[in-house]
Amino acid sequence: MTTRDVSLDIDLAGVPTVPFWRPDSVAILSDRDALLRFNRYWRILSRKALAKFLIAKKFQVDEYSSNDEDSMWRVHEDYMREFHEFLDSNHDDAILGWYRTHDTPHWNLLRLKRDLAWAIVRNCRFCEYRCGVNRVEGQKGVCRVDAKAKIASIFVHIGEEPELVPSYTIFFSGCNFRCVYCQNWDISQRITGVHISPIEVAVRIDEHWNGNEIRNVNWVGGDPTPNIHFIFDVLMNLSANVPQIWNSNFYNSMEALQLLDGIIDLWLPDFKYGNNECALRLSGVPKYFDVITRNFRFVNKHGDEILIRHLVLPNHIECCTKPILRWIKENLDLSRIRVNVMAQYRPEYRASKYKDISRRITSDEFSEAISFARELGIPLTQ
């Protein structure tokens, strides 16, 4: 197994841990493989690099009309090219120096992304259902969410992967999937929770970060995709240099990915199915594998760091688990990736009505999945 030849010039002494409940959150700080694969993430935590959204907030763009979506996209395309060139051609210390010596311009890349998100929500195509409804006027698409984000819960989570905990998680209600086995069905399939203003959410994040209580902000659900406009409103008010995590089913549209590009520091996508048929039957999602693999290629091409989750389903080793792991091996740059092959499946929600997934996975099924991943040289986490 190979990893990038990168510097480990990081100081993790002050990185929050959960030593009693999660000793692995401490042990991960000595895991060289984890530090190398997610090097930029750890450099943000060691105060040696900037979260991308902060860079975007200082990155000046040309003045534009927020009423002309097409012209905004043209400006976005031009400046994203410059943004990536800026990141690729400057070391973290140079970017830190630039950040400290520049004021925040009114016309900046983060604002542009925020305004584009609000344009999209009026003709919604954040995900590949591309419903086209005007959610600002209260219309709802497949996700059943209008423009007013509903937060089901917001708290410091210690149940995520050891790289992430303690993680400040914002759980949105609503989802564009209809997974028959959803373990969060009470918030994904029903619209619950309350609206919290973006300013208040930003204040809470700042307080937890300044109190050295969290490692990241974890946007999750349900699914966070319908709430991209709200998330950008939060980021416009956020000052903490805290990594941003995109914890999603990853059925994002290309427009959504282009907006999130240059904002997300660590992608945390699900990779549920190894084919379109299982996805359509169990989650009601058309063209799943085509969309998901396109999206993985998009975030991988810029060298982004990705922690992939795959939940092993009973009786789906051959049709889903092995094709997924094989695709990851053959198509992605493994030097910036870790994969969590998960054994947590339980037959929740409506799973009892589907014979193939009406039981937990066996130890043999999980062992087969792990063994196959290791044979391929897939870098694993837990």
Side-chain angles (χ1 to χ4, degrees):
M1 180 169 58
T2 61
T3 54
R4 291 172 294 158
D5 182 17
V6 297
S7 169
L8 281 180
D9 177 26
I10 50 181
D11 179 6
L12 301 174
V15 175
T17 58
V18 191
F20 179 73
W21 293 104
R22 290 290 303 273
D24 57 348
S25 75
V26 181
I28 198 73
L29 303 181
S30 301
D31 183 339
R32 182 176 176 83
D33 185 74
L35 300 182
L36 282 170
R37 294 184 189 280
F38 297 160
N39 187 257
R40 191 174 186 282
Y41 169 73
W42 294 112
R43 287 180 64 78
I44 297 170
L45 290 174
S46 67
R47 314 305 195 263
K48 291 183 176 293
L50 284 171
K52 289 181 181 178
F53 82 94
L54 288 178
I55 303 173
K57 194 183 294 190
K58 287 282 183 84
F59 206 85
Q60 186 166 359
V61 302
D62 289 339
E63 184 175 345
Y64 57 86
S65 170
S66 59
N67 295 319
D68 186 346
E69 185 179 338
D70 288 340
S71 69
M72 283 195 290
W73 277 116
R74 287 193 291 272
V75 174
H76 184 270
E77 181 180 0
D78 290 342
Y79 280 96
M80 281 306 300
R81 205 160 28 238
E82 289 191 20
F83 182 83
H84 284 296
E85 290 173 359
F86 178 73
L87 292 184
D88 293 342
S89 60
N90 288 281
H91 295 297
D92 290 330
D93 54 352
I95 294 175
L96 279 167
W98 165 86
Y99 181 82
R100 291 168 182 150
T101 56
H102 283 71
D103 294 329
T104 301
H106 177 80
W107 300 103
N108 63 71
L109 184 57
L110 182 62
R111 179 181 295 275
L112 172 60
K113 287 175 177 287
R114 191 275 307 272
D115 291 345
L116 271 167
W118 273 99
I120 289 175
V121 85
R122 290 176 168 85
N123 176 18
C124 196
R125 52 200 190 278
F126 281 143
C127 81
E128 276 300 335
Y129 277 105
R130 308 183 73 83
C131 296
V133 300
N134 189 335
R135 292 169 53 204
V136 174
E137 293 184 355
Q139 297 175 11
K140 301 174 184 178
V142 174
C143 65
R144 295 175 294 204
V145 180
D146 61 23
K148 197 170 185 178
K150 294 292 181 64
I151 295 176
S153 60
I154 179 169
F155 63 100
V156 178
H157 198 344
I158 64 169
E160 304 285 65
E161 286 83 356
E163 294 92 333
L164 304 182
V165 295
S167 179
Y168 196 58
T169 48
I170 294 94
F171 280 82
F172 295 101
S173 66
C175 185
N176 53 359
F177 277 27
R178 299 289 182 268
C179 301
V180 298
Y181 54 89
C182 182
Q183 297 176 13
N184 287 331
W185 64 269
D186 55 330
I187 66 170
S188 69
Q189 304 307 307
R190 298 187 303 180
I191 305 305
T192 61
V194 297
H195 181 76
I196 305 175
S197 76
I199 293 175
E200 182 177 345
V201 174
V203 168
R204 293 190 190 189
I205 295 169
D206 280 331
E207 289 176 347
H208 284 289
W209 177 258
N210 293 333
N212 202 37
E213 301 171 19
I214 59 173
R215 289 183 179 176
N216 51 70
V217 177
N218 189 340
W219 303 103
V220 63
D223 199 82
T225 303
N227 301 290
I228 291 175
H229 59 296
F230 174 86
I231 292 168
F232 278 111
D233 279 346
V234 174
L235 297 180
M236 287 291 293
N237 291 282
L238 185 62
S239 60
N241 183 27
V242 53
Q244 301 296 308
I245 309 295
W246 189 250
N247 186 344
S248 166
N249 60 35
F250 220 36
Y251 199 64
N252 306 124
S253 67
M254 281 304 299
E255 292 95 323
L257 285 177
Q258 287 165 354
L259 293 183
L260 294 168
D261 179 28
I263 299 299
I264 299 303
D265 299 293
L266 179 63
W267 300 86
L268 183 60
D270 293 336
F271 203 154
K272 294 179 181 293
Y273 307 105
N275 59 82
N276 290 333
E277 293 72 26
C278 289
L280 186 61
R281 185 170 69 90
L282 299 178
S283 291
V285 184
K287 298 181 180 179
Y288 172 85
F289 194 78
D290 305 331
V291 172
I292 295 298
T293 52
R294 179 203 68 190
N295 292 351
F296 273 113
R297 287 190 176 99
F298 178 87
V299 299
N300 185 70
K301 76 177 181 179
H302 292 305
D304 286 359
E305 297 168 348
I306 315 171
L307 200 169
I308 302 171
R309 286 176 171 172
H310 171 61
L311 180 66
V312 180
L313 299 177
N315 296 303
H316 283 255
I317 298 293
E318 297 300 327
C319 60
C320 290
T321 298
K322 288 184 177 179
I324 285 170
L325 294 172
R326 193 178 295 114
W327 189 91
I328 291 171
K329 168 68 174 181
E330 294 174 355
N331 293 277
L332 300 182
D333 176 7
L334 297 186
S335 70
R336 294 173 173 87
I337 287 174
R338 297 192 106 195
V339 179
N340 186 0
V341 178
M342 303 166 71
Q344 294 96 318
Y345 176 80
R346 58 185 186 273
E348 292 277 354
Y349 195 36
R350 298 173 177 169
S352 61
K353 298 179 180 180
Y354 295 77
K355 186 176 180 180
D356 55 320
I357 60 168
S358 62
R359 62 167 174 83
R360 291 178 178 266
I361 66 169
T362 65
S363 59
D364 286 345
E365 285 175 318
F366 186 63
S367 295
E368 184 177 359
I370 292 294
S371 295
F372 189 74
R374 287 175 175 159
E375 288 172 10
L376 292 175
I378 300 290
L380 298 177
T381 186
Q382 59 184 358

